[in-house]
Amino acid sequence: MKKIILILCALGFSTQSIADHHSPTNAVVSVLYECTLNDGVSAADVVAFGKNTVNKFATANNLKMNSYLWEAVAINPPYDEADIRWVNYFPTWVDYYASNETFGTKGQKVVGEFYDMVTCDKPVILGVRNVGGPIPTIQEKPLITSVCQLNDGKTMQDAMEFMPKMTKLMNKTAGANVANSIFVPAFGISGFDYVGMLTGATNDMAKLMDSVRSGAMPKAMAKAGMQPAATCVNDLHQSHLMIQQPL
Protein backbone atom coordinates (compact mmCIF):
# COMPACT_ATOMS: atom_id res chain seq x y z
CA MET A 1 0.00 0.00 0.00
CA LYS A 2 1.23 3.48 -0.86
CA LYS A 3 1.02 5.14 2.54
CA ILE A 4 -0.80 8.47 2.67
CA ILE A 5 0.69 9.70 5.94
CA LEU A 6 1.27 13.26 4.97
CA ILE A 7 3.42 16.19 5.87
CA LEU A 8 1.42 18.60 3.72
CA CYS A 9 3.62 21.61 3.13
CA ALA A 10 3.02 24.35 0.60
CA LEU A 11 5.80 23.17 -1.71
CA GLY A 12 5.68 25.58 -4.62
CA PHE A 13 2.38 27.10 -3.38
CA SER A 14 1.65 30.31 -1.49
CA THR A 15 -0.04 30.27 1.91
CA GLN A 16 -3.04 32.00 0.31
CA SER A 17 -3.66 28.90 -1.80
CA ILE A 18 -4.70 26.88 1.28
CA ALA A 19 -8.07 28.52 1.63
CA ASP A 20 -10.76 26.30 3.13
CA HIS A 21 -11.43 25.97 6.84
CA HIS A 22 -10.43 22.31 6.88
CA SER A 23 -6.91 23.43 6.10
CA PRO A 24 -6.82 26.96 7.59
CA THR A 25 -6.14 29.86 5.23
CA ASN A 26 -2.75 30.72 6.70
CA ALA A 27 -1.52 27.17 7.38
CA VAL A 28 1.69 26.17 5.64
CA VAL A 29 2.55 22.92 7.36
CA SER A 30 0.24 19.96 7.86
CA VAL A 31 1.23 16.62 9.32
CA LEU A 32 -1.09 13.67 8.82
CA TYR A 33 -0.54 10.33 10.53
CA GLU A 34 -2.10 7.25 8.97
CA CYS A 35 -2.94 4.80 11.77
CA THR A 36 -4.66 1.55 12.67
CA LEU A 37 -6.65 1.29 15.91
CA ASN A 38 -5.23 -0.91 18.64
CA ASP A 39 -7.42 -3.67 20.13
CA GLY A 40 -10.42 -2.33 22.02
CA VAL A 41 -10.02 1.25 20.74
CA SER A 42 -12.60 3.01 18.54
CA ALA A 43 -12.30 6.08 16.35
CA ALA A 44 -14.63 7.85 18.79
CA ASP A 45 -12.13 7.14 21.59
CA VAL A 46 -9.33 8.80 19.61
CA VAL A 47 -11.54 11.80 18.74
CA ALA A 48 -12.42 12.25 22.42
CA PHE A 49 -8.73 12.01 23.34
CA GLY A 50 -7.90 14.68 20.76
CA LYS A 51 -10.70 17.03 21.82
CA ASN A 52 -9.83 16.75 25.49
CA THR A 53 -6.28 15.66 26.39
CA VAL A 54 -4.44 16.91 23.29
CA ASN A 55 -6.52 20.07 23.00
CA LYS A 56 -5.88 21.00 26.65
CA PHE A 57 -2.15 20.35 26.25
CA ALA A 58 -1.92 22.42 23.06
CA THR A 59 -3.86 25.28 24.66
CA ALA A 60 -1.83 25.22 27.89
CA ASN A 61 1.41 25.40 25.88
CA ASN A 62 0.21 28.04 23.40
CA LEU A 63 0.79 25.75 20.42
CA LYS A 64 -0.41 27.20 17.13
CA MET A 65 -2.08 24.19 15.55
CA ASN A 66 -5.40 22.82 14.35
CA SER A 67 -6.15 19.09 14.35
CA TYR A 68 -8.65 16.86 12.55
CA LEU A 69 -9.25 13.13 12.53
CA TRP A 70 -10.34 11.50 9.27
CA GLU A 71 -12.26 8.34 10.11
CA ALA A 72 -12.21 5.80 7.27
CA VAL A 73 -15.76 4.98 6.13
CA ALA A 74 -15.51 3.40 2.66
CA ILE A 75 -11.96 3.16 1.33
CA ASN A 76 -10.74 1.34 -1.78
CA PRO A 77 -7.58 -0.77 -1.93
CA PRO A 78 -4.69 -0.17 -1.79
CA TYR A 79 -5.43 2.66 0.66
CA ASP A 80 -7.80 0.79 2.94
CA GLU A 81 -5.40 -0.40 5.65
CA ALA A 82 -5.64 2.69 7.84
CA ASP A 83 -8.58 3.06 10.24
CA ILE A 84 -7.95 6.76 10.86
CA ARG A 85 -5.83 9.63 9.58
CA TRP A 86 -4.87 12.27 12.15
CA VAL A 87 -3.93 15.61 10.56
CA ASN A 88 -2.34 18.64 12.25
CA TYR A 89 -2.10 22.07 10.62
CA PHE A 90 0.51 24.71 11.54
CA PRO A 91 0.87 28.29 10.24
CA THR A 92 4.69 28.05 9.89
CA TRP A 93 7.53 25.55 10.01
CA VAL A 94 8.67 27.31 13.19
CA ASP A 95 5.36 26.41 14.82
CA TYR A 96 5.66 22.84 13.56
CA TYR A 97 9.09 22.36 15.12
CA ALA A 98 8.05 24.19 18.30
CA SER A 99 5.15 21.73 18.62
CA ASN A 100 7.49 18.77 18.08
CA GLU A 101 9.84 20.04 20.79
CA THR A 102 7.01 20.69 23.25
CA PHE A 103 5.42 17.28 22.75
CA GLY A 104 8.87 15.68 22.96
CA THR A 105 9.72 17.31 26.28
CA LYS A 106 6.57 18.25 28.19
CA GLY A 107 4.15 16.00 26.30
CA GLN A 108 5.70 12.56 26.56
CA LYS A 109 2.77 11.32 28.63
CA VAL A 110 0.30 12.60 26.03
CA VAL A 111 2.30 11.02 23.20
CA GLY A 112 2.48 7.74 25.11
CA GLU A 113 -1.29 7.71 25.61
CA PHE A 114 -1.76 8.34 21.88
CA TYR A 115 0.40 5.39 20.88
CA ASP A 116 -1.37 3.20 23.42
CA MET A 117 -4.47 3.77 21.27
CA VAL A 118 -3.08 3.54 17.72
CA THR A 119 -0.23 2.20 15.60
CA CYS A 120 1.01 4.67 12.98
CA ASP A 121 3.50 4.76 10.11
CA LYS A 122 6.04 7.39 9.13
CA PRO A 123 5.04 10.44 7.10
CA VAL A 124 5.60 11.33 3.46
CA ILE A 125 5.55 14.81 1.94
CA LEU A 126 3.07 16.39 -0.46
CA GLY A 127 2.12 19.87 -1.61
CA VAL A 128 -1.43 21.17 -1.16
CA ARG A 129 -3.52 23.77 -2.98
CA ASN A 130 -7.11 24.78 -2.34
CA VAL A 131 -9.15 25.00 -5.54
CA GLY A 132 -12.60 25.71 -4.08
CA GLY A 133 -14.27 28.28 -1.85
CA PRO A 134 -14.14 28.44 1.96
CA ILE A 135 -16.60 26.36 3.98
CA PRO A 136 -17.90 26.74 7.55
CA THR A 137 -15.80 25.36 10.38
CA ILE A 138 -17.93 22.55 11.82
CA GLN A 139 -17.35 19.68 14.22
CA GLU A 140 -18.01 16.83 11.77
CA LYS A 141 -18.33 16.59 8.02
CA PRO A 142 -18.01 14.01 5.24
CA LEU A 143 -14.76 14.14 3.29
CA ILE A 144 -14.12 12.51 -0.09
CA THR A 145 -10.56 11.86 -1.21
CA SER A 146 -10.06 11.07 -4.89
CA VAL A 147 -6.85 9.23 -5.79
CA CYS A 148 -6.17 10.30 -9.38
CA GLN A 149 -4.06 9.43 -12.39
CA LEU A 150 -3.81 12.07 -15.12
CA ASN A 151 -5.34 11.02 -18.42
CA ASP A 152 -3.13 10.73 -21.50
CA GLY A 153 -1.96 14.12 -22.66
CA LYS A 154 -3.12 15.90 -19.50
CA THR A 155 -0.90 17.77 -17.02
CA MET A 156 -1.26 18.99 -13.44
CA GLN A 157 -2.01 22.43 -14.88
CA ASP A 158 -5.02 20.90 -16.65
CA ALA A 159 -6.16 19.38 -13.35
CA MET A 160 -5.70 22.70 -11.52
CA GLU A 161 -7.83 24.44 -14.14
CA PHE A 162 -10.49 21.71 -14.25
CA MET A 163 -11.11 21.35 -10.50
CA PRO A 164 -12.36 24.91 -9.75
CA LYS A 165 -14.74 24.71 -12.72
CA MET A 166 -15.99 21.31 -11.59
CA THR A 167 -16.47 22.50 -7.98
CA LYS A 168 -18.46 25.50 -9.19
CA LEU A 169 -20.63 23.27 -11.40
CA MET A 170 -21.15 20.82 -8.51
CA ASN A 171 -22.40 23.57 -6.21
CA LYS A 172 -24.69 25.03 -8.88
CA THR A 173 -26.13 21.66 -9.93
CA ALA A 174 -26.64 20.28 -6.42
CA GLY A 175 -27.52 23.57 -4.71
CA ALA A 176 -24.65 22.88 -2.33
CA ASN A 177 -21.58 24.57 -0.84
CA VAL A 178 -18.53 22.30 -1.05
CA ALA A 179 -14.82 23.04 -1.42
CA ASN A 180 -11.97 21.18 -3.08
CA SER A 181 -8.22 20.90 -2.47
CA ILE A 182 -5.49 19.07 -4.38
CA PHE A 183 -2.56 17.23 -2.78
CA VAL A 184 0.47 16.52 -4.99
CA PRO A 185 3.17 13.97 -4.02
CA ALA A 186 6.60 15.46 -3.39
CA PHE A 187 8.82 13.07 -1.42
CA GLY A 188 8.48 9.49 -0.22
CA ILE A 189 5.35 8.48 -2.12
CA SER A 190 4.42 7.44 -5.65
CA GLY A 191 1.74 5.52 -7.51
CA PHE A 192 -0.67 8.37 -8.26
CA ASP A 193 -0.49 11.88 -9.71
CA TYR A 194 -2.58 13.73 -7.12
CA VAL A 195 -5.30 13.38 -4.50
CA GLY A 196 -8.35 15.61 -4.61
CA MET A 197 -10.10 16.39 -1.31
CA LEU A 198 -13.78 17.39 -1.46
CA THR A 199 -15.60 18.41 1.72
CA GLY A 200 -18.48 20.44 3.13
CA ALA A 201 -21.29 20.30 5.66
CA THR A 202 -23.13 16.97 5.80
CA ASN A 203 -26.26 18.31 4.09
CA ASP A 204 -24.21 19.86 1.27
CA MET A 205 -22.18 16.70 0.74
CA ALA A 206 -25.37 14.61 0.73
CA LYS A 207 -26.86 16.90 -1.94
CA LEU A 208 -23.72 16.51 -4.02
CA MET A 209 -23.67 12.72 -3.75
CA ASP A 210 -27.39 12.56 -4.60
CA SER A 211 -26.74 14.67 -7.72
CA VAL A 212 -24.20 12.06 -8.84
CA ARG A 213 -26.53 9.16 -7.97
CA SER A 214 -29.44 10.70 -9.87
CA GLY A 215 -27.32 11.42 -12.92
CA ALA A 216 -27.83 15.19 -12.65
CA MET A 217 -24.13 15.93 -12.18
CA PRO A 218 -22.89 13.76 -15.09
CA LYS A 219 -25.54 15.36 -17.33
CA ALA A 220 -24.46 18.85 -16.25
CA MET A 221 -20.83 18.02 -17.01
CA ALA A 222 -21.74 16.67 -20.45
CA LYS A 223 -23.86 19.75 -21.21
CA ALA A 224 -20.98 22.02 -20.18
CA GLY A 225 -18.58 20.02 -22.35
CA MET A 226 -16.33 19.30 -19.36
CA GLN A 227 -13.91 16.40 -19.64
CA PRO A 228 -12.01 15.25 -16.51
CA ALA A 229 -8.26 15.68 -16.58
CA ALA A 230 -7.78 12.44 -14.64
CA THR A 231 -9.26 9.07 -13.80
CA CYS A 232 -9.94 8.84 -10.05
CA VAL A 233 -10.94 6.35 -7.37
CA ASN A 234 -13.07 7.92 -4.64
CA ASP A 235 -12.80 7.20 -0.90
CA LEU A 236 -15.09 8.41 1.89
CA HIS A 237 -14.03 9.63 5.34
CA GLN A 238 -15.80 11.35 8.21
CA SER A 239 -13.79 14.36 9.37
CA HIS A 240 -13.83 15.27 13.09
CA LEU A 241 -12.56 18.64 14.34
CA MET A 242 -10.46 18.17 17.50
CA ILE A 243 -8.35 21.33 17.98
CA GLN A 244 -9.22 24.78 16.69
CA GLN A 245 -6.64 27.42 17.65
CA PRO A 246 -6.27 30.91 16.12
CA LEU A 247 -3.64 30.62 13.40
Side-chain angles (χ1 to χ4, degrees):
M1 164 180 181
K2 304 296 185 182
K3 298 296 182 182
I4 308 181
I5 315 165
L6 320 175
I7 297 176
L8 303 173
C9 62
L11 296 172
F13 302 131
S14 71
T15 57
Q16 293 178 346
S17 70
I18 309 175
D20 76 22
H21 286 82
H22 187 91
S23 50
T25 305
N26 54 345
V28 260
V29 182
S30 300
V31 183
L32 189 154
Y33 298 92
E34 187 176 65
C35 310
T36 55
L37 298 168
N38 292 340
D39 289 345
V41 178
S42 69
D45 294 331
V46 183
V47 171
F49 172 75
K51 287 185 175 182
N52 293 287
T53 302
V54 183
N55 191 14
K56 289 177 181 177
F57 180 84
T59 301
N61 289 278
N62 298 313
L63 299 180
K64 295 181 180 179
M65 60 184 292
N66 288 344
S67 297
Y68 292 81
L69 184 137
W70 298 359
E71 178 183 0
V73 177
I75 313 298
N76 292 290
Y79 305 101
D80 57 338
E81 292 182 6
D83 298 314
I84 62 171
R85 293 173 170 90
W86 177 302
V87 58
N88 296 326
Y89 294 99
F90 303 94
T92 69
W93 282 105
V94 171
D95 293 304
Y96 163 69
Y97 282 111
S99 174
N100 277 359
E101 181 178 358
T102 302
F103 275 100
T105 54
K106 300 179 183 179
Q108 292 181 357
K109 183 175 183 293
V110 175
V111 173
E113 290 179 12
F114 175 71
Y115 284 111
D116 284 341
M117 304 177 76
V118 296
T119 300
C120 306
D121 293 320
K122 294 180 180 179
V124 296
I125 301 174
L126 295 91
V128 58
R129 172 172 285 183
N130 176 263
V131 290
I135 60 175
T137 301
I138 51 182
Q139 291 297 310
E140 295 187 9
K141 56 181 177 283
L143 184 151
I144 295 174
T145 54
S146 301
V147 183
C148 301
Q149 297 281 3
L150 290 167
N151 293 332
D152 289 344
K154 296 296 184 180
T155 66
M156 278 306 304
Q157 184 61 38
D158 294 320
M160 293 291 184
E161 293 175 358
F162 173 78
M163 294 304 291
K165 296 176 182 178
M166 187 187 74
T167 304
K168 184 177 180 179
L169 184 63
M170 284 178 173
N171 287 329
K172 179 180 179 181
T173 302
N177 178 26
V178 299
N180 206 315
S181 297
I182 288 180
F183 301 109
V184 182
F187 304 108
I189 192 168
S190 61
F192 59 86
D193 292 316
Y194 68 89
V195 175
M197 185 187 78
L198 185 69
T199 191
T202 299
N203 186 54
D204 288 316
M205 291 294 286
K207 288 179 180 178
L208 172 61
M209 288 186 277
D210 276 338
S211 74
V212 175
R213 175 193 56 80
S214 69
M217 185 63 202
K219 289 178 182 177
M221 289 183 64
K223 184 177 180 180
M226 295 177 62
Q227 295 294 326
T231 299
C232 304
V233 176
N234 298 319
D235 297 322
L236 179 64
H237 296 82
Q238 183 74 0
S239 175
H240 306 268
L241 172 60
M242 297 182 294
I243 301 174
Q244 182 73 46
Q245 300 283 358
L247 298 185

